[in-house]
Amino acid sequence: MRGPIDYIVLEFEGNHFKGEVLNALTDAVGKKIINVLDLALIYKDENGNVTALELNNLDQELTHTIEVLQRERAGLITIEDTEEVGEVLDDNNSAGLLIIEHLWAKDLKKALINANGRLISEGRIHPDAAAELDEEEEN
C-alpha cells in the first residue's frame, strides 16, 4: 500500500542549487516522512534553452545527496515532464521536479480503509493562503 503521492515543482531564481534544500529533503526521507519516488533538476539558461541536469554536472556533495534520495527511483519523470517544466520557467532560472510519497499517511490510510472509509474529495490549501486561516482563528 502506498501513501498519497504528489508532484512538486520548485523554481529557483538564478541557476544555483543549494545543498541546504537537498539536506532538508534528505532529512525528511531519513525520518520516513516522505519517500522521493523521482527527482529531476531542470535548468533554463539566459537564452531560454532548457536542460535536465545530469548528476555528473553537479558538485560531488549534491550528487551524493541526490543519489541517496533516488535509491528507490521509480523512473516516473519523463523528458516530456522536464520540457513542460522548462516552458514555465523564467530564463536563467532552475527548478526541481519531485514526485514524493507521503509515508506519514500510510497508517492513517490503512485505518480508514479498515473502517470502510473512502475518499470523496481532496485538495490542498497553499501555505500562502493558510495565513487567512490563522487570521480567522485570531478573530
Side-chain angles (χ1 to χ4, degrees):
M1 174 185 313
R2 287 211 175 266
I5 296 173
D6 285 330
Y7 76 89
I8 302 169
V9 181
L10 306 163
E11 183 174 17
F12 298 93
E13 193 173 322
N15 285 305
H16 309 285
F17 286 108
K18 294 189 176 185
E20 64 194 84
V21 174
L22 290 175
N23 290 339
L25 191 59
T26 303
D27 186 51
V29 170
K31 292 177 179 174
K32 299 191 183 304
I33 297 168
I34 63 168
N35 184 25
V36 176
L37 299 178
D38 210 349
L39 168 70
L41 304 177
I42 301 146
Y43 166 87
K44 189 170 190 178
D45 69 18
E46 63 277 353
N47 298 317
N49 299 310
V50 176
T51 306
L53 295 177
E54 298 293 328
L55 291 180
N56 59 8
N57 293 338
L58 300 172
D59 72 43
Q60 189 172 6
E61 185 177 335
L62 287 178
T63 300
H64 174 72
T65 303
I66 292 169
E67 287 173 344
V68 168
L69 290 172
Q70 290 187 306
R71 283 199 179 128
E72 296 182 38
R73 186 171 183 237
L76 299 172
I77 297 174
T78 66
I79 190 69
E80 291 83 11
D81 296 326
T82 60
E83 289 171 351
E84 191 174 318
V85 169
E87 289 176 16
V88 298
L89 273 179
D90 289 335
D91 289 350
N92 204 34
N93 280 357
S94 49
L97 170 57
L98 295 98
I99 299 178
I100 62 169
E101 175 186 12
H102 295 274
L103 299 177
W104 63 267
K106 286 175 73 171
D107 289 339
L108 176 60
K109 179 180 177 181
K110 185 176 182 179
L112 290 168
I113 290 170
N114 288 341
N116 294 320
R118 65 184 174 92
L119 181 67
I120 58 172
S121 179
E122 71 177 309
R124 174 167 289 159
I125 298 173
H126 192 277
D128 293 343
E132 294 175 22
L133 295 174
D134 293 337
E135 289 174 12
E136 287 178 18
E137 285 181 4
E138 291 174 6
N139 293 330

